[in-house]
């Protein structure tokens, strides 16, 4: 019986729809959407392929810092660190480590509110069984081209007037959804069903309303 159950689970994993999800670890909205995707995986035959983008690269280089306050420019300059560490980890152990490391970093950054704590990167690396020394990548440009290549794969499709998250569903990439808090259970599945339906429509570009609340990580 155990062998039969294992075979069924393997078959379900192989038949799951693959969805690409681009994130910057620093973005609270992408974090919430990523937690929604984990809920979707529980109730729909979907598997998330985690990929990196960079808000620092988007805002400071591609947009040349135009229209940004000094405070935001300073924040973006610090945004390189976490995504560089994720890139270094993927280079060290393969892309399968990206999702678990994102969870370890994001939990500390967002749920625990430790955005200014330098310990979060080595802690997160240790949690997923990686060398804490990889945290030094935060101050290195060694992995920046890897980040840019992953970033451009998404933003060459969606354009530069959006941010993160970017999700590619059935060959079509879109920004969003932006939601708070992350739906749970069947509610997560229903939102997924709706997203998959509208993204299917040729020429569909945007649904939007003004945000009236802060990110909730419940």
């Amino acid at each position: 019986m155990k062998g039969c159950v294992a075979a069924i689970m393997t078959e379900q994993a192989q038949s799951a729809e693959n969805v690409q999800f681009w994130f910057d670890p620093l973005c609270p909205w992408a974090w919430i959407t990523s937690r929604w995707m984990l809920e979707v995986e529980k109730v729909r035959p979907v598997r998330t392929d985690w990929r990196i983008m960079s808000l620092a690269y988007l805002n400071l280089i591609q947009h040349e810092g135009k229209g940004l306050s000094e405070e935001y420019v300073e924040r973006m300059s610090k945004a390189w660190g976490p995504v560089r560490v994720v890139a270094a980890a993927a280079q060290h152990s393969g892309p399968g480590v990206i999702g678990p490391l994102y969870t370890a970093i994001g939990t500390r950054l967002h749920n625990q509110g430790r955005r200014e704590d330098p310990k979060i990167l080595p802690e997160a690396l240790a949690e997923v069984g990686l060398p804490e020394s990889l945290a030094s990548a935060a101050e290195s440009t060694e992995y920046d081209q890897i980040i840019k290549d992953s970033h451009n794969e998404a933003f060459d499709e969606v354009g530069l007037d959006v941010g993160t998250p970017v999700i590619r569903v059935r060959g079509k990439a879109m920004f969003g959804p932006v939601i708070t808090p992350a739906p749970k259970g069947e509610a997560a599945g229903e939102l997924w069903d709706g997203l998959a339906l509208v993204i299917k429509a040729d020429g569909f570009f945007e649904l939007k309303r003004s945000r009236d609340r802060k990110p909730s990580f419940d």
Side-chain angles (χ1 to χ4, degrees), residues 33 36 90 97 157 189 199:
T33 306
W36 163 68
V97 79
E157 290 189 46
I199 213 169

Side-chain angles (χ1 to χ4, degrees), residues 45-151:
V46 170
R47 188 186 74 83
T48 309
D49 175 10
W50 303 102
R51 303 189 180 189
I52 50 176
M53 58 81 65
S54 170
L55 288 171
Y57 177 58
L58 177 67
N59 286 290
L60 301 182
I61 297 177
Q62 292 186 304
H63 287 304
E64 301 177 336
K66 294 177 180 177
L68 302 180
S69 66
E70 291 184 10
E71 178 185 1
Y72 196 79
V73 169
E74 175 66 19
R75 191 187 313 169
M76 286 296 98
S77 67
K78 296 178 180 179
W80 279 111
V83 73
R84 282 171 170 166
V85 171
V86 176
Q91 188 81 346
H92 180 276
S93 297
V97 79
I98 294 176
L101 182 56
Y102 181 27
T103 291
I105 293 174
T107 298
R108 289 166 171 79
L109 278 175
H110 306 298
N111 295 73
Q112 298 176 8
R114 297 167 58 191
R115 296 176 73 89
E116 303 299 325
D117 187 347
K119 296 178 182 178
I120 66 168
L121 294 175
E123 281 182 13
L125 288 163
E127 181 178 314
V128 298
L130 293 174
E132 294 183 29
S133 59
L134 289 174
S136 64
E139 305 300 328
S140 169
T141 61
E142 180 180 354
Y143 302 96
D144 286 7
Q145 191 58 51
I146 294 173
I147 295 169
K148 292 174 185 178
D149 289 345
S150 178
H151 176 105

Side-chain angles (χ1 to χ4, degrees), residues 29 178-180 206-214:
W29 296 103
V178 175
I179 189 168
T180 191
E206 185 173 8
L207 281 173
K208 189 172 183 178
R209 63 177 175 176
S210 297
R211 293 197 296 263
D212 61 0
R213 65 196 75 176
K214 295 181 179 180

Side-chain angles (χ1 to χ4, degrees), residues 24-44:
D24 185 308
L26 208 62
C27 178
W29 296 103
W31 172 248
I32 295 169
T33 306
S34 74
R35 301 309 92 180
W36 163 68
M37 282 303 308
L38 294 182
E39 289 291 316
V40 172
E41 289 183 344
K42 298 176 185 177
V43 295
R44 297 293 186 271

Side-chain angles (χ1 to χ4, degrees), residues 11-25:
E11 182 179 352
Q12 289 175 338
Q14 290 175 344
S15 64
E17 178 177 2
N18 193 46
V19 176
Q20 295 80 46
F21 187 109
W22 282 267
F23 68 92
D24 185 308

